[in-house]
Amino acid sequence: MRYELMLPHQIRKAIKENWPVALPLGVLEYHGEHMAVGMDTLAVIKTLELFEKERDIVILPPFYYGAASYAVASPEGSGSVQVGGPVLAPFAEELFYGLLRIGFRNIHAIIHHQTENFVAGMPTDLAFKTAGRQAIFRFLEKERGEGWWGSDKMADYYLGHAQGENVFNWVQVHPLMPAAMNGKYPFDHAGIGETSLMLALCPEAVDAGHFADNTGWYTKSAPEASAELGQQGVAMILEHLRTTLRG
């Protein structure tokens, strides 16, 4: 369900049943002359909407204003919007803390931008990862007091941790395309892979009439894109979400 359309009784049901709460996290960035600047975020939104058809899930309003960077193109006339990590982290902490206060314990931010080296991290996902940890510590200290981890009530912490009961899993950040997709689906920027995803998920975000206007090396494979290839990628992403977003 879209969070902004939920009524309080539906929110309480989602909390009681521990529904996954997903934040589509992304940027506004130049993706060649043929594709919309919101591609990274749209890919997350559209796949979550497909996932919603088979599982109970809360979809938060998307956040588009991540750290796009100007690595691909300068912003003048290209449309990239850069909001740095130091600004993002305080916002994200307040957002996650607020969601914890509501009662959610199964919160996930899903990002596609700059995730080819997700383990090392990039500015947007690192800011939200750090914010998630800070929000959890802050919430636990408010609810349980200082010394909460060292109290006798936490004596089974490591046993529970081994069984997957981990309070630090209350807020997580995931790539839309997991490492398991490497070599199975093209990971690129505005090339055949991303263009195919948009043709499958949001075809109005692609205008094939502007392929010839591209000059960057990273867009050279874009004309080879197809909705059929994109559907293969979507299927792999959905399988990843089925494993990641559990109640």
Side-chain angles (χ1 to χ4, degrees), residues 48-132:
L48 284 173
E49 288 175 350
L50 292 174
F51 183 75
E52 183 187 18
K53 295 178 181 179
E54 59 182 77
R55 299 275 181 91
D56 289 326
I57 184 175
V58 176
I59 302 176
L60 295 169
F63 184 81
Y64 277 91
Y65 301 102
S69 86
Y70 301 138
V72 174
S74 60
E76 289 79 10
S78 74
S80 294
V81 177
Q82 161 68 14
V83 179
V87 177
L88 295 174
F91 163 81
E93 181 180 337
E94 293 302 320
L95 172 61
F96 290 142
Y97 182 74
L99 294 170
L100 291 169
R101 285 287 305 273
I102 290 166
F104 295 121
R105 301 289 183 269
N106 194 4
I107 303 164
H108 305 264
I110 311 295
I111 184 170
H112 179 59
H113 177 64
Q114 295 179 334
T115 56
E116 62 268 35
N117 296 305
F118 191 74
V119 174
M122 284 292 193
T124 304
D125 58 87
L126 286 174
F128 276 75
K129 287 175 187 176
T130 300

Side-chain angles (χ1 to χ4, degrees), residues 185-208:
Y185 187 85
F187 195 107
D188 56 33
H189 180 81
I192 183 175
E194 289 195 336
T195 305
S196 293
L197 276 184
M198 282 294 94
L199 287 173
L201 292 167
C202 188
E204 62 269 31
V206 178
D207 187 343

Side-chain angles (χ1 to χ4, degrees), residues 152-163:
D152 289 341
K153 293 180 180 179
M154 296 298 295
D156 62 350
Y157 173 79
Y158 287 112
L159 176 61
H161 197 281
Q163 297 173 346

